[in-house]
Amino acid sequence: MNAFHPPLRPTPPHAFPAVSPQTITPLGSSAYKPSALGFPLSADDVTAQVRVALLEDQAFNDVSTLATVVSDRHVRAAIVTRRDGVVSGIAMAVEAFRQLDPHISIRVDADDGTRVRAGTPVLFLSGHARGILSAERTALNYLQHLSGIASLTWRYVQAIEGTRAQILDTRKTTPGWRLLEKFAVRCGGGANHRLDLRSGVLIKDNHLAAIGGDIAMAVSRARQLAVPGTPVQVECDTLDQVDAAVAAGADWVLLDNMTPDRLRDAVQRCAGRCVTEASGGVTLDTVRAIAQTGVDRISIGALTHSAPALDLGLDFDGL
């Protein structure tokens, strides 16, 4: 079993326009429960994480809303995209509104993984204004950040279309948000690298520096200590290291900061005996040239640590 979770084959986002069926959350029902694309949190985890976010924002003590909006004011509103992108984070946004007011009625018009154009409604909301207003920022924080990751991932996926390479994320995630951010990468059509330090062996340059650079010993020790079937990967800065990793029986080589010519040479040296992954300084301007070297995977830390938020906003009907 491959311990780099989940499986590497990505799922492309739904095409324009959004075609996911509408999901109605009627009055008094439980919150939206996603299943597509391997949403990583249980209903209890969603509830708990969103609760922390709402408490952080003091959303249950929203003095601005309490001072200005009468308690029985009923409104209709929609969360709308301001730019083209890919949606992610629906469950978290829905839960934010539900916790502020369980009687809010919600319709989901663009599910996770849906490509949307600017001006597309994602959620329709109907209920008391106070609950909608007090949950607005928390809901948008989830949607904007996760949709930003999904949208950036999709741009990289498009950039390498027609090559054999796949786009991967890294462990460069926001503490506490890793599962959601890696889910957002899948929403954008990318795939996930190892989830954590236990789920796969990655022998990096500092590991090798600590043992005098002995790749054979490092791979051998990894085979002895890791759970059988766990993939063993070696980070390589030079072609000599690539040769050593292949000779040691590594399953995977990470080709760090190599030029396209050197990547092409490394791929030939591996000759199908192990998975090849390019990493380090990958940008939208360079990713296609990297993919055309024949590497199997391209990992990009920027997908999660530097993705710009997708611009979405809450609009009240008639305002």
Side-chain angles (χ1 to χ4, degrees), residues 6-13 37 153-154 157 160 164-168 185-192 296-297:
L8 284 169
R9 177 57 58 185
T11 301
L37 294 168
T153 301
W154 177 236
V157 170
I160 65 166
R164 63 178 292 172
Q166 292 180 329
I167 298 297
L168 302 186
V185 168
R186 297 199 299 278
C187 288
N192 297 146
D296 301 301
R297 317 277 188 252

Side-chain angles (χ1 to χ4, degrees), residues 9-31:
R9 177 57 58 185
T11 301
H14 304 302
F16 291 117
V19 294
S20 57
Q22 294 180 344
T23 302
I24 305 298
T25 307
L27 295 174
S29 73
S30 59

Side-chain angles (χ1 to χ4, degrees), residues 6-319:
L8 284 169
R9 177 57 58 185
T11 301
H14 304 302
F16 291 117
V19 294
S20 57
Q22 294 180 344
T23 302
I24 305 298
T25 307
L27 295 174
S29 73
S30 59
Y32 173 71
K33 294 182 176 62
S35 59
L37 294 168
F39 185 77
L41 302 184
S42 67
D44 288 344
D45 288 338
V46 171
T47 298
Q49 183 163 335
V50 171
R51 184 76 176 184
V52 169
L54 290 171
L55 290 173
E56 177 184 59
D57 201 33
Q58 287 293 316
F60 299 96
N61 298 288
D62 178 3
V63 64
S64 301
T65 296
L66 292 172
T68 58
V69 181
V70 295
S71 60
D72 62 350
R73 176 65 189 270
H74 193 279
V75 297
R76 294 185 302 174
I79 291 181
V80 179
T81 58
R82 311 293 197 214
R83 299 186 63 183
D84 295 355
V86 178
V87 175
S88 185
I90 289 293
M92 312 305 285
V94 167
E95 181 64 18
F97 291 112
R98 300 291 295 181
Q99 287 196 29
L100 259 296
D101 184 351
H103 298 291
I104 290 175
S105 182
I106 304 169
R107 191 180 78 207
V108 179
D109 269 22
D111 211 339
D112 290 323
T114 302
R115 288 163 51 202
V116 291
R117 296 194 186 278
T120 300
V122 174
L123 294 179
F124 282 100
L125 307 160
S126 178
H128 291 106
R130 281 185 172 180
I132 292 173
L133 286 167
S134 296
E136 174 185 359
R137 184 69 266 154
T138 296
L140 287 175
N141 283 347
Y142 280 115
L143 279 174
Q144 289 178 326
H145 178 59
L146 296 175
S147 297
I149 291 172
S151 300
L152 181 60
T153 301
W154 177 236
R155 292 180 67 192
Y156 275 97
V157 170
Q158 286 182 301
I160 65 166
E161 186 176 6
T163 71
R164 63 178 292 172
Q166 292 180 329
I167 298 297
L168 302 186
D169 54 23
T170 71
R171 286 172 37 251
K172 296 176 182 177
T173 54
T174 307
W177 281 63
R178 178 170 296 175
L179 292 176
L180 289 172
E181 290 178 342
K182 282 181 169 283
F183 169 70
V185 168
R186 297 199 299 278
C187 288
N192 297 146
H193 208 293
R194 60 176 180 164
L195 176 63
D196 49 42
L197 291 171
R198 186 179 65 174
S199 61
V201 174
L202 175 49
I203 302 166
K204 295 178 68 67
D205 54 354
N206 283 338
H207 293 115
L208 294 174
I211 60 171
D214 193 335
I215 290 176
M217 183 184 76
V219 172
S220 176
R221 289 281 291 163
R223 295 280 187 219
Q224 294 172 28
L225 294 176
V227 174
T230 300
V232 176
Q233 182 176 14
V234 179
E235 181 179 38
C236 300
D237 299 318
T238 69
L239 294 175
D240 286 343
Q241 288 180 323
V242 172
D243 292 337
V246 172
D251 301 300
W252 195 313
V253 291
L254 190 160
L255 308 169
D256 188 43
N257 283 296
M258 292 188 179
T259 64
D261 286 343
R262 185 162 292 186
L263 284 171
R264 198 170 287 107
D265 195 350
V267 169
Q268 293 174 353
R269 292 178 185 228
C270 292
R273 288 178 286 176
C274 60
V275 175
T276 55
E277 173 191 342
S279 186
V282 181
T283 69
L284 283 166
D285 291 331
T286 63
V287 69
R288 186 163 187 84
I290 292 170
Q292 289 174 332
T293 66
V295 294
D296 301 301
R297 317 277 188 252
I298 303 172
S299 57
I300 305 166
L303 297 182
T304 50
H305 71 58
S306 297
L310 181 66
D311 191 3
L312 298 104
L314 179 69
D315 296 334
F316 274 32
D317 187 14
L319 296 181

